[in-house]
PDB file of all heavy atoms in Angstrom:
ATOM      1  N   ALA A  37     -59.842 -51.790 101.311  1.00  0.00           N
ATOM      2  CA  ALA A  37     -60.478 -52.832 100.521  1.00  0.00           C
ATOM      3  C   ALA A  37     -59.577 -54.062 100.536  1.00  0.00           C
ATOM      4  O   ALA A  37     -58.495 -54.052 101.140  1.00  0.00           O
ATOM      5  CB  ALA A  37     -60.711 -52.348  99.096  1.00  0.00           C
ATOM      6  N   ASP A  38     -60.014 -55.128  99.872  1.00  0.00           N
ATOM      7  CA  ASP A  38     -59.282 -56.386  99.869  1.00  0.00           C
ATOM      8  C   ASP A  38     -58.897 -56.794  98.450  1.00  0.00           C
ATOM      9  O   ASP A  38     -59.564 -56.426  97.476  1.00  0.00           O
ATOM     10  CB  ASP A  38     -60.134 -57.498 100.485  1.00  0.00           C
ATOM     11  CG  ASP A  38     -60.606 -57.163 101.888  1.00  0.00           C
ATOM     12  OD1 ASP A  38     -59.835 -56.520 102.636  1.00  0.00           O
ATOM     13  OD2 ASP A  38     -61.738 -57.538 102.241  1.00  0.00           O
ATOM     14  N   GLY A  39     -57.843 -57.593  98.341  1.00  0.00           N
ATOM     15  CA  GLY A  39     -57.429 -58.098  97.035  1.00  0.00           C
ATOM     16  C   GLY A  39     -56.032 -58.686  97.122  1.00  0.00           C
ATOM     17  O   GLY A  39     -55.395 -58.697  98.187  1.00  0.00           O
ATOM     18  N   ALA A  40     -55.545 -59.175  95.990  1.00  0.00           N
ATOM     19  CA  ALA A  40     -54.202 -59.739  95.930  1.00  0.00           C
ATOM     20  C   ALA A  40     -53.643 -59.594  94.527  1.00  0.00           C
ATOM     21  O   ALA A  40     -54.387 -59.605  93.539  1.00  0.00           O
ATOM     22  CB  ALA A  40     -54.216 -61.220  96.344  1.00  0.00           C
ATOM     23  N   GLY A  41     -52.321 -59.459  94.455  1.00  0.00           N
ATOM     24  CA  GLY A  41     -51.619 -59.405  93.180  1.00  0.00           C
ATOM     25  C   GLY A  41     -50.354 -60.220  93.280  1.00  0.00           C
ATOM     26  O   GLY A  41     -49.774 -60.372  94.366  1.00  0.00           O
ATOM     27  N   ALA A  42     -49.916 -60.779  92.153  1.00  0.00           N
ATOM     28  CA  ALA A  42     -48.757 -61.669  92.182  1.00  0.00           C
ATOM     29  C   ALA A  42     -47.933 -61.549  90.910  1.00  0.00           C
ATOM     30  O   ALA A  42     -48.469 -61.196  89.850  1.00  0.00           O
ATOM     31  CB  ALA A  42     -49.214 -63.121  92.351  1.00  0.00           C
ATOM     32  N   VAL A  43     -46.652 -61.852  91.039  1.00  0.00           N
ATOM     33  CA  VAL A  43     -45.786 -62.031  89.878  1.00  0.00           C
ATOM     34  C   VAL A  43     -44.975 -63.299  90.076  1.00  0.00           C
ATOM     35  O   VAL A  43     -44.699 -63.705  91.208  1.00  0.00           O
ATOM     36  CB  VAL A  43     -44.826 -60.842  89.635  1.00  0.00           C
ATOM     37  CG1 VAL A  43     -45.586 -59.566  89.343  1.00  0.00           C
ATOM     38  CG2 VAL A  43     -43.856 -60.659  90.793  1.00  0.00           C
ATOM     39  N   VAL A  44     -44.615 -63.908  88.957  1.00  0.00           N
ATOM     40  CA  VAL A  44     -43.656 -65.010  88.964  1.00  0.00           C
ATOM     41  C   VAL A  44     -42.353 -64.460  88.412  1.00  0.00           C
ATOM     42  O   VAL A  44     -42.321 -63.874  87.325  1.00  0.00           O
ATOM     43  CB  VAL A  44     -44.142 -66.193  88.107  1.00  0.00           C
ATOM     44  CG1 VAL A  44     -43.070 -67.286  88.077  1.00  0.00           C
ATOM     45  CG2 VAL A  44     -45.451 -66.750  88.654  1.00  0.00           C
ATOM     46  N   LEU A  45     -41.285 -64.617  89.181  1.00  0.00           N
ATOM     47  CA  LEU A  45     -39.960 -64.202  88.750  1.00  0.00           C
ATOM     48  C   LEU A  45     -39.171 -65.408  88.254  1.00  0.00           C
ATOM     49  O   LEU A  45     -39.275 -66.509  88.813  1.00  0.00           O
ATOM     50  CB  LEU A  45     -39.183 -63.559  89.907  1.00  0.00           C
ATOM     51  CG  LEU A  45     -39.756 -62.296  90.544  1.00  0.00           C
ATOM     52  CD1 LEU A  45     -38.796 -61.785  91.613  1.00  0.00           C
ATOM     53  CD2 LEU A  45     -40.034 -61.225  89.519  1.00  0.00           C
ATOM     54  N   GLY A  46     -38.368 -65.176  87.213  1.00  0.00           N
ATOM     55  CA  GLY A  46     -37.512 -66.228  86.697  1.00  0.00           C
ATOM     56  C   GLY A  46     -36.113 -65.719  86.452  1.00  0.00           C
ATOM     57  O   GLY A  46     -35.896 -64.514  86.233  1.00  0.00           O
ATOM     58  N   ALA A  47     -35.139 -66.604  86.488  1.00  0.00           N
ATOM     59  CA  ALA A  47     -33.745 -66.238  86.265  1.00  0.00           C
ATOM     60  C   ALA A  47     -33.458 -66.100  84.783  1.00  0.00           C
ATOM     61  O   ALA A  47     -33.981 -66.841  83.954  1.00  0.00           O
ATOM     62  CB  ALA A  47     -32.830 -67.291  86.879  1.00  0.00           C
ATOM     63  N   SER A  48     -32.609 -65.118  84.440  1.00  0.00           N
ATOM     64  CA  SER A  48     -32.245 -64.873  83.049  1.00  0.00           C
ATOM     65  C   SER A  48     -30.864 -64.234  82.993  1.00  0.00           C
ATOM     66  O   SER A  48     -30.386 -63.674  83.988  1.00  0.00           O
ATOM     67  CB  SER A  48     -33.274 -63.957  82.385  1.00  0.00           C
ATOM     68  OG  SER A  48     -32.862 -63.554  81.098  1.00  0.00           O
ATOM     69  N   ASP A  49     -30.227 -64.313  81.821  1.00  0.00           N
ATOM     70  CA  ASP A  49     -28.963 -63.601  81.647  1.00  0.00           C
ATOM     71  C   ASP A  49     -29.180 -62.201  81.095  1.00  0.00           C
ATOM     72  O   ASP A  49     -28.226 -61.454  80.866  1.00  0.00           O
ATOM     73  CB  ASP A  49     -28.017 -64.384  80.734  1.00  0.00           C
ATOM     74  CG  ASP A  49     -28.607 -64.635  79.345  1.00  0.00           C
ATOM     75  OD1 ASP A  49     -29.769 -64.256  79.104  1.00  0.00           O
ATOM     76  OD2 ASP A  49     -27.895 -65.223  78.506  1.00  0.00           O
ATOM     77  N   LYS A  50     -30.452 -61.835  80.870  1.00  0.00           N
ATOM     78  CA  LYS A  50     -30.797 -60.495  80.387  1.00  0.00           C
ATOM     79  C   LYS A  50     -31.383 -59.672  81.528  1.00  0.00           C
ATOM     80  O   LYS A  50     -32.214 -60.164  82.285  1.00  0.00           O
ATOM     81  CB  LYS A  50     -31.791 -60.569  79.235  1.00  0.00           C
ATOM     82  CG  LYS A  50     -31.228 -61.248  77.983  1.00  0.00           C
ATOM     83  CD  LYS A  50     -32.259 -61.266  76.886  1.00  0.00           C
ATOM     84  CE  LYS A  50     -31.656 -61.816  75.592  1.00  0.00           C
ATOM     85  NZ  LYS A  50     -31.142 -63.180  75.737  1.00  0.00           N
ATOM     86  N   PRO A  51     -30.964 -58.411  81.674  1.00  0.00           N
ATOM     87  CA  PRO A  51     -31.448 -57.579  82.794  1.00  0.00           C
ATOM     88  C   PRO A  51     -32.957 -57.353  82.774  1.00  0.00           C
ATOM     89  O   PRO A  51     -33.513 -56.930  81.767  1.00  0.00           O
ATOM     90  CB  PRO A  51     -30.698 -56.256  82.594  1.00  0.00           C
ATOM     91  CG  PRO A  51     -29.517 -56.593  81.764  1.00  0.00           C
ATOM     92  CD  PRO A  51     -29.966 -57.705  80.858  1.00  0.00           C
ATOM     93  N   GLY A  52     -33.581 -57.686  83.885  1.00  0.00           N
ATOM     94  CA  GLY A  52     -34.973 -57.324  84.140  1.00  0.00           C
ATOM     95  C   GLY A  52     -34.949 -56.375  85.328  1.00  0.00           C
ATOM     96  O   GLY A  52     -35.186 -55.185  85.214  1.00  0.00           O
ATOM     97  N   PHE A  53     -34.595 -56.936  86.485  1.00  0.00           N
ATOM     98  CA  PHE A  53     -34.440 -56.131  87.703  1.00  0.00           C
ATOM     99  C   PHE A  53     -33.207 -55.245  87.585  1.00  0.00           C
ATOM    100  O   PHE A  53     -32.100 -55.725  87.355  1.00  0.00           O
ATOM    101  CB  PHE A  53     -34.303 -57.064  88.901  1.00  0.00           C
ATOM    102  CG  PHE A  53     -34.074 -56.368  90.209  1.00  0.00           C
ATOM    103  CD1 PHE A  53     -35.060 -55.583  90.782  1.00  0.00           C
ATOM    104  CD2 PHE A  53     -32.866 -56.516  90.876  1.00  0.00           C
ATOM    105  CE1 PHE A  53     -34.842 -54.951  92.008  1.00  0.00           C
ATOM    106  CE2 PHE A  53     -32.642 -55.890  92.093  1.00  0.00           C
ATOM    107  CZ  PHE A  53     -33.639 -55.101  92.654  1.00  0.00           C
ATOM    108  N   LEU A  54     -33.420 -53.928  87.762  1.00  0.00           N
ATOM    109  CA  LEU A  54     -32.323 -52.972  87.632  1.00  0.00           C
ATOM    110  C   LEU A  54     -31.929 -52.322  88.952  1.00  0.00           C
ATOM    111  O   LEU A  54     -30.992 -51.530  88.998  1.00  0.00           O
ATOM    112  CB  LEU A  54     -32.695 -51.886  86.614  1.00  0.00           C
ATOM    113  CG  LEU A  54     -32.957 -52.372  85.187  1.00  0.00           C
ATOM    114  CD1 LEU A  54     -33.321 -51.198  84.284  1.00  0.00           C
ATOM    115  CD2 LEU A  54     -31.746 -53.103  84.630  1.00  0.00           C
ATOM    116  N   GLY A  55     -32.669 -52.636  90.008  1.00  0.00           N
ATOM    117  CA  GLY A  55     -32.307 -52.078  91.309  1.00  0.00           C
ATOM    118  C   GLY A  55     -33.514 -51.678  92.134  1.00  0.00           C
ATOM    119  O   GLY A  55     -34.650 -51.656  91.647  1.00  0.00           O
ATOM    120  N   ALA A  56     -33.243 -51.361  93.387  1.00  0.00           N
ATOM    121  CA  ALA A  56     -34.298 -50.937  94.316  1.00  0.00           C
ATOM    122  C   ALA A  56     -33.710 -50.008  95.361  1.00  0.00           C
ATOM    123  O   ALA A  56     -32.501 -49.982  95.583  1.00  0.00           O
ATOM    124  CB  ALA A  56     -34.943 -52.151  94.988  1.00  0.00           C
ATOM    125  N   LYS A  57     -34.589 -49.261  95.992  1.00  0.00           N
ATOM    126  CA  LYS A  57     -34.193 -48.360  97.066  1.00  0.00           C
ATOM    127  C   LYS A  57     -35.258 -48.391  98.148  1.00  0.00           C
ATOM    128  O   LYS A  57     -36.440 -48.158  97.874  1.00  0.00           O
ATOM    129  CB  LYS A  57     -34.023 -46.926  96.539  1.00  0.00           C
ATOM    130  CG  LYS A  57     -33.780 -45.863  97.607  1.00  0.00           C
ATOM    131  CD  LYS A  57     -32.463 -46.075  98.340  1.00  0.00           C
ATOM    132  CE  LYS A  57     -32.221 -44.967  99.372  1.00  0.00           C
ATOM    133  NZ  LYS A  57     -30.987 -45.223 100.181  1.00  0.00           N
ATOM    134  N   LEU A  58     -34.844 -48.710  99.371  1.00  0.00           N
ATOM    135  CA  LEU A  58     -35.754 -48.736 100.516  1.00  0.00           C
ATOM    136  C   LEU A  58     -35.423 -47.593 101.465  1.00  0.00           C
ATOM    137  O   LEU A  58     -34.273 -47.176 101.563  1.00  0.00           O
ATOM    138  CB  LEU A  58     -35.643 -50.059 101.267  1.00  0.00           C
ATOM    139  CG  LEU A  58     -35.751 -51.356 100.457  1.00  0.00           C
ATOM    140  CD1 LEU A  58     -35.666 -52.557 101.384  1.00  0.00           C
ATOM    141  CD2 LEU A  58     -37.023 -51.388  99.641  1.00  0.00           C
ATOM    142  N   LEU A  59     -36.454 -47.111 102.157  1.00  0.00           N
ATOM    143  CA  LEU A  59     -36.283 -46.002 103.083  1.00  0.00           C
ATOM    144  C   LEU A  59     -37.407 -46.074 104.113  1.00  0.00           C
ATOM    145  O   LEU A  59     -38.419 -46.764 103.901  1.00  0.00           O
ATOM    146  CB  LEU A  59     -36.358 -44.674 102.313  1.00  0.00           C
ATOM    147  CG  LEU A  59     -35.791 -43.401 102.960  1.00  0.00           C
ATOM    148  CD1 LEU A  59     -34.290 -43.556 103.233  1.00  0.00           C
ATOM    149  CD2 LEU A  59     -36.028 -42.205 102.032  1.00  0.00           C
ATOM    150  N   ALA A  60     -37.248 -45.406 105.226  1.00  0.00           N
ATOM    151  CA  ALA A  60     -38.321 -45.367 106.229  1.00  0.00           C
ATOM    152  C   ALA A  60     -38.203 -44.126 107.088  1.00  0.00           C
ATOM    153  O   ALA A  60     -37.114 -43.578 107.256  1.00  0.00           O
ATOM    154  CB  ALA A  60     -38.276 -46.616 107.109  1.00  0.00           C
ATOM    155  N   ASN A  61     -39.328 -43.690 107.603  1.00  0.00           N
ATOM    156  CA  ASN A  61     -39.396 -42.655 108.632  1.00  0.00           C
ATOM    157  C   ASN A  61     -40.088 -43.274 109.842  1.00  0.00           C
ATOM    158  O   ASN A  61     -41.300 -43.128 110.045  1.00  0.00           O
ATOM    159  CB  ASN A  61     -40.180 -41.427 108.137  1.00  0.00           C
ATOM    160  CG  ASN A  61     -39.335 -40.546 107.245  1.00  0.00           C
ATOM    161  OD1 ASN A  61     -39.020 -40.911 106.116  1.00  0.00           O
ATOM    162  ND2 ASN A  61     -38.955 -39.387 107.752  1.00  0.00           N
ATOM    163  N   GLY A  62     -39.285 -44.004 110.632  1.00  0.00           N
ATOM    164  CA  GLY A  62     -39.827 -44.793 111.725  1.00  0.00           C
ATOM    165  C   GLY A  62     -40.493 -44.010 112.833  1.00  0.00           C
ATOM    166  O   GLY A  62     -41.242 -44.581 113.637  1.00  0.00           O
ATOM    167  N   GLU A  63     -40.228 -42.703 112.879  1.00  0.00           N
ATOM    168  CA  GLU A  63     -40.869 -41.911 113.942  1.00  0.00           C
ATOM    169  C   GLU A  63     -42.383 -41.859 113.800  1.00  0.00           C
ATOM    170  O   GLU A  63     -43.089 -41.477 114.730  1.00  0.00           O
ATOM    171  CB  GLU A  63     -40.294 -40.487 113.971  1.00  0.00           C
ATOM    172  CG  GLU A  63     -40.592 -39.638 112.749  1.00  0.00           C
ATOM    173  CD  GLU A  63     -39.519 -39.707 111.692  1.00  0.00           C
ATOM    174  OE1 GLU A  63     -38.849 -40.758 111.596  1.00  0.00           O
ATOM    175  OE2 GLU A  63     -39.342 -38.714 110.960  1.00  0.00           O
ATOM    176  N   TYR A  64     -42.891 -42.273 112.623  1.00  0.00           N
ATOM    177  CA  TYR A  64     -44.343 -42.311 112.411  1.00  0.00           C
ATOM    178  C   TYR A  64     -44.914 -43.717 112.593  1.00  0.00           C
ATOM    179  O   TYR A  64     -46.013 -44.000 112.119  1.00  0.00           O
ATOM    180  CB  TYR A  64     -44.677 -41.794 111.012  1.00  0.00           C
ATOM    181  CG  TYR A  64     -44.395 -40.321 110.827  1.00  0.00           C
ATOM    182  CD1 TYR A  64     -43.295 -39.898 110.079  1.00  0.00           C
ATOM    183  CD2 TYR A  64     -45.216 -39.352 111.400  1.00  0.00           C
ATOM    184  CE1 TYR A  64     -43.018 -38.548 109.908  1.00  0.00           C
ATOM    185  CE2 TYR A  64     -44.950 -38.000 111.233  1.00  0.00           C
ATOM    186  CZ  TYR A  64     -43.852 -37.608 110.488  1.00  0.00           C
ATOM    187  OH  TYR A  64     -43.580 -36.261 110.315  1.00  0.00           O
ATOM    188  N   HIS A  65     -44.195 -44.591 113.273  1.00  0.00           N
ATOM    189  CA  HIS A  65     -44.679 -45.961 113.452  1.00  0.00           C
ATOM    190  C   HIS A  65     -45.994 -46.016 114.220  1.00  0.00           C
ATOM    191  O   HIS A  65     -46.752 -46.985 114.105  1.00  0.00           O
ATOM    192  CB  HIS A  65     -43.629 -46.804 114.197  1.00  0.00           C
ATOM    193  CG  HIS A  65     -43.462 -46.430 115.632  1.00  0.00           C
ATOM    194  ND1 HIS A  65     -42.626 -45.423 116.050  1.00  0.00           N
ATOM    195  CD2 HIS A  65     -44.047 -46.914 116.752  1.00  0.00           C
ATOM    196  CE1 HIS A  65     -42.684 -45.314 117.356  1.00  0.00           C
ATOM    197  NE2 HIS A  65     -43.546 -46.197 117.809  1.00  0.00           N
ATOM    198  N   ASP A  66     -46.267 -44.987 114.992  1.00  0.00           N
ATOM    199  CA  ASP A  66     -47.478 -44.979 115.818  1.00  0.00           C
ATOM    200  C   ASP A  66     -48.588 -44.115 115.231  1.00  0.00           C
ATOM    201  O   ASP A  66     -49.531 -43.743 115.926  1.00  0.00           O
ATOM    202  CB  ASP A  66     -47.148 -44.490 117.232  1.00  0.00           C
ATOM    203  CG  ASP A  66     -46.485 -43.110 117.246  1.00  0.00           C
ATOM    204  OD1 ASP A  66     -46.182 -42.576 116.153  1.00  0.00           O
ATOM    205  OD2 ASP A  66     -46.264 -42.566 118.350  1.00  0.00           O
ATOM    206  N   ALA A  67     -48.509 -43.828 113.944  1.00  0.00           N
ATOM    207  CA  ALA A  67     -49.508 -42.951 113.314  1.00  0.00           C
ATOM    208  C   ALA A  67     -50.673 -43.722 112.702  1.00  0.00           C
ATOM    209  O   ALA A  67     -51.833 -43.316 112.812  1.00  0.00           O
ATOM    210  CB  ALA A  67     -48.847 -42.081 112.248  1.00  0.00           C
ATOM    211  N   LEU A  68     -50.370 -44.818 112.030  1.00  0.00           N
ATOM    212  CA  LEU A  68     -51.387 -45.617 111.339  1.00  0.00           C
ATOM    213  C   LEU A  68     -51.036 -47.080 111.471  1.00  0.00           C
ATOM    214  O   LEU A  68     -49.906 -47.477 111.179  1.00  0.00           O
ATOM    215  CB  LEU A  68     -51.443 -45.232 109.848  1.00  0.00           C
ATOM    216  CG  LEU A  68     -52.186 -46.191 108.900  1.00  0.00           C
ATOM    217  CD1 LEU A  68     -53.670 -46.256 109.253  1.00  0.00           C
ATOM    218  CD2 LEU A  68     -52.001 -45.771 107.445  1.00  0.00           C
ATOM    219  N   GLY A  69     -51.995 -47.897 111.906  1.00  0.00           N
ATOM    220  CA  GLY A  69     -51.722 -49.321 112.001  1.00  0.00           C
ATOM    221  C   GLY A  69     -52.799 -50.080 112.739  1.00  0.00           C
ATOM    222  O   GLY A  69     -53.852 -49.532 113.097  1.00  0.00           O
ATOM    223  N   ILE A  70     -52.522 -51.361 112.963  1.00  0.00           N
ATOM    224  CA  ILE A  70     -53.373 -52.227 113.792  1.00  0.00           C
ATOM    225  C   ILE A  70     -52.585 -52.458 115.072  1.00  0.00           C
ATOM    226  O   ILE A  70     -51.642 -53.256 115.100  1.00  0.00           O
ATOM    227  CB  ILE A  70     -53.666 -53.566 113.082  1.00  0.00           C
ATOM    228  CG1 ILE A  70     -54.317 -53.316 111.720  1.00  0.00           C
ATOM    229  CG2 ILE A  70     -54.568 -54.444 113.955  1.00  0.00           C
ATOM    230  CD1 ILE A  70     -54.374 -54.545 110.833  1.00  0.00           C
ATOM    231  N   TYR A  71     -52.949 -51.777 116.125  1.00  0.00           N
ATOM    232  CA  TYR A  71     -52.087 -51.717 117.303  1.00  0.00           C
ATOM    233  C   TYR A  71     -52.472 -52.684 118.422  1.00  0.00           C
ATOM    234  O   TYR A  71     -51.780 -52.741 119.444  1.00  0.00           O
ATOM    235  CB  TYR A  71     -52.046 -50.281 117.821  1.00  0.00           C
ATOM    236  CG  TYR A  71     -51.359 -49.350 116.844  1.00  0.00           C
ATOM    237  CD1 TYR A  71     -52.082 -48.452 116.059  1.00  0.00           C
ATOM    238  CD2 TYR A  71     -49.983 -49.420 116.653  1.00  0.00           C
ATOM    239  CE1 TYR A  71     -51.446 -47.619 115.144  1.00  0.00           C
ATOM    240  CE2 TYR A  71     -49.334 -48.598 115.746  1.00  0.00           C
ATOM    241  CZ  TYR A  71     -50.080 -47.697 114.993  1.00  0.00           C
ATOM    242  OH  TYR A  71     -49.442 -46.892 114.073  1.00  0.00           O
ATOM    243  N   THR A  72     -53.545 -53.427 118.230  1.00  0.00           N
ATOM    244  CA  THR A  72     -53.961 -54.406 119.227  1.00  0.00           C
ATOM    245  C   THR A  72     -53.747 -55.810 118.691  1.00  0.00           C
ATOM    246  O   THR A  72     -54.111 -56.112 117.550  1.00  0.00           O
ATOM    247  CB  THR A  72     -55.444 -54.217 119.592  1.00  0.00           C
ATOM    248  OG1 THR A  72     -55.641 -52.901 120.095  1.00  0.00           O
ATOM    249  CG2 THR A  72     -55.883 -55.217 120.646  1.00  0.00           C
ATOM    250  N   GLY A  73     -53.121 -56.679 119.496  1.00  0.00           N
ATOM    251  CA  GLY A  73     -52.926 -58.061 119.086  1.00  0.00           C
ATOM    252  C   GLY A  73     -51.486 -58.519 119.148  1.00  0.00           C
ATOM    253  O   GLY A  73     -51.206 -59.714 119.112  1.00  0.00           O
ATOM    254  N   GLY A  74     -50.544 -57.569 119.239  1.00  0.00           N
ATOM    255  CA  GLY A  74     -49.133 -57.914 119.347  1.00  0.00           C
ATOM    256  C   GLY A  74     -48.662 -57.881 120.786  1.00  0.00           C
ATOM    257  O   GLY A  74     -49.455 -57.790 121.721  1.00  0.00           O
ATOM    258  N   THR A  75     -47.341 -57.923 120.977  1.00  0.00           N
ATOM    259  CA  THR A  75     -46.798 -57.957 122.338  1.00  0.00           C
ATOM    260  C   THR A  75     -46.886 -56.612 123.043  1.00  0.00           C
ATOM    261  O   THR A  75     -46.882 -56.545 124.269  1.00  0.00           O
ATOM    262  CB  THR A  75     -45.326 -58.414 122.309  1.00  0.00           C
ATOM    263  OG1 THR A  75     -44.576 -57.524 121.463  1.00  0.00           O
ATOM    264  CG2 THR A  75     -45.207 -59.831 121.786  1.00  0.00           C
ATOM    265  N   SER A  76     -46.949 -55.521 122.280  1.00  0.00           N
ATOM    266  CA  SER A  76     -47.041 -54.204 122.896  1.00  0.00           C
ATOM    267  C   SER A  76     -48.412 -53.970 123.517  1.00  0.00           C
ATOM    268  O   SER A  76     -48.534 -53.374 124.585  1.00  0.00           O
ATOM    269  CB  SER A  76     -46.761 -53.111 121.851  1.00  0.00           C
ATOM    270  OG  SER A  76     -46.892 -51.831 122.412  1.00  0.00           O
TER     271      SER A  76
END
């Protein structure tokens, strides 16, 4: 489906953002996607 969501971030001396963690399993890059239109 289609849609959009947004937030406005602002600077503060009080903690809002407490951290993040990113990870990937790149071996599945060819499992789901739009595969026509790029250089490959």
Side-chain angles (χ1 to χ4, degrees):
D38 304 324
V43 297
V44 177
L45 299 183
S48 172
D49 59 357
K50 295 181 174 60
F53 177 67
L54 298 180
K57 173 65 178 175
L58 309 182
L59 199 61
N61 281 71
E63 66 267 29
Y64 292 106
H65 70 274
D66 56 354
L68 165 64
I70 303 168
Y71 293 105
T72 301
T75 57
S76 178

